[in-house]
Amino acid sequence: MTTQQPLAVGLIGAGRMGSFHAETLARRLPGVRLAAVADPALGAARCLTDRLGCPTAYTEIGELLADPEVDAVVIATPARTHADLVEAAARAGKAVYCEKPMATTLADADRAIAAAAAAGVPLQVGFNRRYDAGFRAAHEKVAAGAIGTPHLLRSLTRDPKLADPAPIPPWTIFLETLIHDFDTLRYLNPGAEPAEVFAWADALVRPDFKDRGLLDTAVVTIRFDNGALATAEASFQAVYGYDVRGEVFGSAGMLTLGDIRRTHLTSYGAEGIAAECVTYDQDLFHDAYVAELADFADSVRSARTPTATGEDARAALTIALAAVRSVQEGAPVHLKDSRLGHTGT
Amino acid sequence: MTTQQPLAVGLIGAGRMGSFHAETLARRLPGVRLAAVADPALGAARCLTDRLGCPTAYTEIGELLADPEVDAVVIATPARTHADLVEAAARAGKAVYCEKPMATTLADADRAIAAAAAAGVPLQVGFNRRYDAGFRAAHEKVAAGAIGTPHLLRSLTRDPKLADPAPIPPWTIFLETLIHDFDTLRYLNPGAEPAEVFAWADALVRPDFKDRGLLDTAVVTIRFDNGALATAEASFQAVYGYDVRGEVFGSAGMLTLGDIRRTHLTSYGAEGIAAECVTYDQDLFHDAYVAELADFADSVRSARTPTATGEDARAALTIALAAVRSVQEGAPVHLKDSRLGHTGT
Amino acid sequence: MTTQQPLAVGLIGAGRMGSFHAETLARRLPGVRLAAVADPALGAARCLTDRLGCPTAYTEIGELLADPEVDAVVIATPARTHADLVEAAARAGKAVYCEKPMATTLADADRAIAAAAAAGVPLQVGFNRRYDAGFRAAHEKVAAGAIGTPHLLRSLTRDPKLADPAPIPPWTIFLETLIHDFDTLRYLNPGAEPAEVFAWADALVRPDFKDRGLLDTAVVTIRFDNGALATAEASFQAVYGYDVRGEVFGSAGMLTLGDIRRTHLTSYGAEGIAAECVTYDQDLFHDAYVAELADFADSVRSARTPTATGEDARAALTIALAAVRSVQEGAPVHLKDSRLGHTGT
Amino acid sequence: MTTQQPLAVGLIGAGRMGSFHAETLARRLPGVRLAAVADPALGAARCLTDRLGCPTAYTEIGELLADPEVDAVVIATPARTHADLVEAAARAGKAVYCEKPMATTLADADRAIAAAAAAGVPLQVGFNRRYDAGFRAAHEKVAAGAIGTPHLLRSLTRDPKLADPAPIPPWTIFLETLIHDFDTLRYLNPGAEPAEVFAWADALVRPDFKDRGLLDTAVVTIRFDNGALATAEASFQAVYGYDVRGEVFGSAGMLTLGDIRRTHLTSYGAEGIAAECVTYDQDLFHDAYVAELADFADSVRSARTPTATGEDARAALTIALAAVRSVQEGAPVHLKDSRLGHTGT
């Protein structure tokens, strides 16, 4: 092992998620080093590199992509920039890890996938639930036939607090929140693909923002090509905490997923039984965030296909775009619908 | 109390559910007696009356309705006969408890409701979950504002085993199984009414019966007039047991319902943690079945409106018929759709 | 079955527990009737018989025992009277069900057992947990070897509220509360017998009553002759509800018992997760109380040994008396200790 | 921050626990570096330093203690060597973190504490449960009065598998396993101290090793000076996994602790409900092991008293020695018993 250099990873985007990834790259992964950070915001990259003892900070992303010291990049910028950055990084010959969603149109997704293929670099997408021990074990059990053929599935995401709605694009609930659930439903129904989607969405948390197009509550039903019927559900505000759950029901059994308890402490008092819930700060998926970067480093080194690929990102995006169109039209949408490629989101 | 006679109840239908009700009427309810049983099947009524020490058995239902000893009737016959029997019993001046579904067309439902109103007799419907301590407490909490405004709801029913499909009419999953969930969703969203329904159903448990029209798996989404989005889900075969659950998520919290564990015993072994599930025989709703007849007796004696009325039965039926039409048309159906009144189910 | 008369049961003691048993005998058990009630308190028996439509009320217990209509008796009087009543009832030729504790000295226990044997009548004791579905299933699993050889056991009872201490004899916590746990530990370690006992007790809930000798908190450890080490624990006041739990840990696994939740409803709010607890009024053991009288009637009719015998009552009493002596002496006590027979409790 | 050097920590003992601590020191803690590893076993230290990129490996512990580069040491050697190493490290002026038990006689414990005090260096002990989020929250709730005055406590440890008994000293179950529970009981009953101890222990898992003095199953009851009665329980073999739980019951409520589930995945099949348990490999206390070294580094830097001190180690040891004597004598032992200081363990 003495001849193997650590994998040098450059981080693009020094926001909340980027900062967490930076710590993981700098400290938690053997055989990996944080080689550089790039963020257009003045001082953002420098602040992070100083704290983590990383040698290089850039305000120009292009400089990081041109840095020959950098073997691979982690993209943690706003969603609308992802596809372009994947393409640029691939052209620069870097292995690419991109936060979800990888793209917000199918044309962008196709372009990103094609760029990685042309450059012969790995492309991994940040569907972190695939790296959570519980979701992963469920996937493996379903794949092994433990519950027979899946008939009914459920995945839900409820964020603990409605962020200030101003900077949120209208279809965020589908493209950035439920995209996780769409991927989870595919992950829990391995080998099957979605065939048809029906969705409702509304501004129930903040009705006052409805005229700006912000939808904060949604229910999506999906018919898969193996007959399974799935439900995905999201809300931007669960006052009790960060609620992520899943369920797969099949011909030979059921799996349930999700635990919102903060610790194993339970209190019993005159008012009854009580326990605390997980919120963002405690990070329900802490270990999964670390595991996905470890898997990225490992798949880069071993030249194996990552667990969540660009094609997976495209498949989840297709469901999201179909859900958007279903809301717009008030009708179910077939995933073969040629118009999905042109949805102007 | 010495002057008050026990309420004399006549049972119509001596099948599985009827036999359970007979025991409740004969033994478990103070101030109530089982006065007579009627069942067209030769010997069925007599077998039950002998076992329970009840004086009178009829093979003609009309004779029971004409019996002046009988104050009230419990109808536990096949679904298709319910509306006619409600009408006949009301005309005979009997207080009426009818198993769900009270009717399978809106015209029948309206006729049954009108007959009870014209005769001035109480009409109660067997939505037993309203009498379960957990579901009832949830309803009261929602009504009291404990979770704010409901945004997302869920109700599901999974039967433990697919009955022999031969005698089952095609839309049974909506009209006899999910009818419970439709009522539960209204019960857990008090004051709101369903506005629009979208449904998918399939023969996933027994694909070989699909050509006979038997649907065994269904997902229904419902948009209520207060904006809440609800999901109802059913399967005719859960290999692990009898699975009934509910969930209400609102602006100020969430309630979850349902416990499939058979007892409070948990086993830990080399294979991990294990517990047994409830199946039909253990009767998940045993106490609720008793409580609903106790409530019937009480509402008859005190001339108060029962907890589950003919109007509640009609409202749940409307959702079921809309779900049927949604499956037929592959599109969402508005509950104002005038064609629901004519659905030929 | 037409020739079989219902079993005529006379109830002795019309207090809280007696009233519950009276309702069970009068209404909930096929093949059983409540034939008479006796209670020295003026009007207590009559009040109960009037409410339940039972023909006969006595203020003299001897009259009930002499009543030839009565086949069997249920004794639900204060503990100190039990042994005498068992003896008198047996001499009168009645089958006997006696609430726990059957006796408070070994001499009394022996006398009661001998009287039943001499008269050839069945003698059953009210260890209700043996009739709870969870505890019974645990017993059966242990007996079947599911957890191998028991090594560590636990049983606890915490009452929801400290009753007014005035009329409570000093060693009540051992003789009337923990007597349940002592029996449970034997039930969960079938075939083994207790060999040695060590106990501590204190007045922690109401230190002001300590000088009257009232102990409200206790921990007892028991060494069984198969090597298993057991703990029994009691408190007279759990502010959160009625807490009864058990645990058996063995060479091949563990069983845990006990569920204090009132219903299957769970609430999630800004404060976290919440659920309500069972208290006395909801009767954690409602079904078990009914099941034990059903078993009594059945064992009388079929002349089979009841599930909880006079010998079981004596064995649990022996542990209780050893615990009393252990507290008095501050040392472990062997169950062969000849002085247990003379403890002046 | 630029002027602050990382804390240079030397690890003594490169076994299983030492290797885990080495990774934590090398990778998981900001502001800390693994400066050296010492282990007498040829190659053990070098293997670890190579893997973690640490500059220095010693086979002589004295060399590490003499290394001026080392600010602080983590002692993870066999228990019998702990006290001597604490003393030597303190004399060398190093801040000291010592795995539990810090000592196996009171004389040794006093010597270690005195050496640290004389040298003016911090001394922290590896009671990892104090760093687990659930146990810590419970401690804080009890300290804040959330459950009133503690009346009954419980702590248990069941290891997943009986290690090969050959090298285990006879009283290991008290001195190395239950020492955790003794500390936990003090931690959950803050401000109170143990007054009296009664213990039973046996060789139930491996009766064939009993003649070598190996005890694998034990129950200890402890009376605290605030009246609280506590139980500690251990087994060397839980076939289902690594089982650590706690409970505090007080005048105003109860707290329960412990969750043995491996993930949040639950399976439902024809056999019922199932879930997997945590075993050693998954490390129930992974986060707590990291948190305790983070706390060590922080307390060294900020010159504050650590959460688990040498005095805490001595207090837990006193209970363990009293438990040993109680087993030897078959009687309860007062903690003031002057003979505890001379127990020849």
Side-chain angles (χ1 to χ4, degrees), chain A residues 27 30 132-135 137-138 141 252-259 263-269, chain D residues 27 30 132-135 137-138 141 252-259 263-269:
Chain A
R27 288 184 183 148
D132 170 85
F135 280 90
K141 276 182 185 286
M254 171 173 70
L255 305 175
T256 60
L257 292 156
D259 182 8
T263 74
H264 51 83
L265 169 64
T266 308
S267 303
Y268 298 71
Chain D
R27 288 184 184 149
D132 170 84
F135 280 91
K141 276 182 185 285
M254 173 174 69
L255 304 176
T256 60
L257 291 157
D259 182 8
T263 74
H264 51 85
L265 170 65
T266 307
S267 304
Y268 297 72

Side-chain angles (χ1 to χ4, degrees), chain B residues 101 103-104 106 171-180 182 194 197 199 220 222 313-327 335 340 343 345:
Chain B
T104 55
L106 291 184
W171 301 109
T172 297
I173 198 165
F174 295 113
L175 293 168
E176 302 206 25
T177 301
L178 281 161
I179 197 96
H180 277 300
F182 299 147
V197 169
V220 182
I222 303 167
R314 188 191 193 282
L317 175 64
T318 308
I319 303 175
L321 295 173
V324 168
R325 183 164 292 273
S326 176
V327 171
L335 290 224
L340 293 178
T343 299
T345 58

Side-chain angles (χ1 to χ4, degrees), chain D residues 130-148:
Chain D
R130 291 185 178 230
Y131 296 93
D132 170 84
F135 280 91
R136 181 192 293 256
H139 165 79
E140 285 165 6
K141 276 182 185 285
V142 177
I147 60 146

Side-chain angles (χ1 to χ4, degrees), chain C residues 245-270:
Chain C
R245 281 176 286 153
E247 186 172 313
V248 201
F249 169 84
S251 56
M254 173 173 70
L255 305 176
T256 60
L257 292 156
D259 183 7
I260 200 173
R261 295 178 55 128
R262 186 170 175 172
T263 73
H264 52 83
L265 169 66
T266 307
S267 303
Y268 297 72

